[in-house]
C-alpha cells in the first residue's frame, strides 16, 4: 500500500431549484464558475437542475459567457 492524499475539492455544484428564476440564477452560476479563472477549489463548475428544466437551462450558458471579458482585468 502506498500512502497518498487526494484533493477532493472543486467541481462543486450550483443547485438550481424548481422555482428558481433562471434569468438570475444561471448568469450568477456562470460567473461563479469563472471566478478565480476556475483555478480554485471554490469554482462551482457544475449545475444540478430539475430534469424537466434541463432543456431550458442548456440554452443559457452561451448567453452570459459571451459577455465575459478575457484578458488583464487591470488594463
Amino acid at each position: 500500500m502506498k500512502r497518498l492524499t487526494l484533493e477532493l475539492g472543486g467541481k462543486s455544484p450550483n443547485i438550481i431549484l424548481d422555482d428558481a428564476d433562471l434569468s438570475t440564477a444561471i448568469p450568477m452560476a456562470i460567473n461563479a464558475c469563472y471566478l478565480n479563472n476556475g483555478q480554485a477549489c471554490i469554482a462551482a463548475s457544475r449545475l444540478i437542475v430539475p430534469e424537466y428544466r434541463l432543456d431550458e437551462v442548456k440554452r443559457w450558458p452561451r448567453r452570459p459567457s459571451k459577455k465575459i471579458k478575457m484578458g488583464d482585468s487591470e488594463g
Side-chain angles (χ1 to χ4, degrees):
M1 280 273 180
K2 290 192 177 207
R3 291 183 186 192
L4 58 107
T5 301
L6 298 175
E7 199 288 307
L8 300 174
K11 300 300 177 204
S12 302
N14 278 304
I15 300 172
I16 308 297
L17 301 177
D18 289 349
D19 61 348
D21 173 13
L22 294 183
S23 65
T24 300
I26 300 301
M28 288 178 70
I30 291 169
N31 285 333
C33 181
Y34 286 105
L35 187 66
N36 294 324
N37 296 320
Q39 298 173 3
C41 295
I42 62 167
S45 55
R46 294 185 299 142
L47 289 175
I48 295 179
V49 299
E51 189 172 0
Y52 78 92
R53 295 193 84 179
L54 187 57
D55 289 335
E56 187 179 2
V57 169
K58 283 181 180 181
R59 290 191 294 268
W60 271 95
R62 292 187 185 130
R63 296 175 195 164
S65 61
K66 288 182 179 181
K67 294 179 181 179
I68 294 173
K69 182 180 177 186
M70 300 295 187
D72 184 4
S73 62
E74 300 294 323

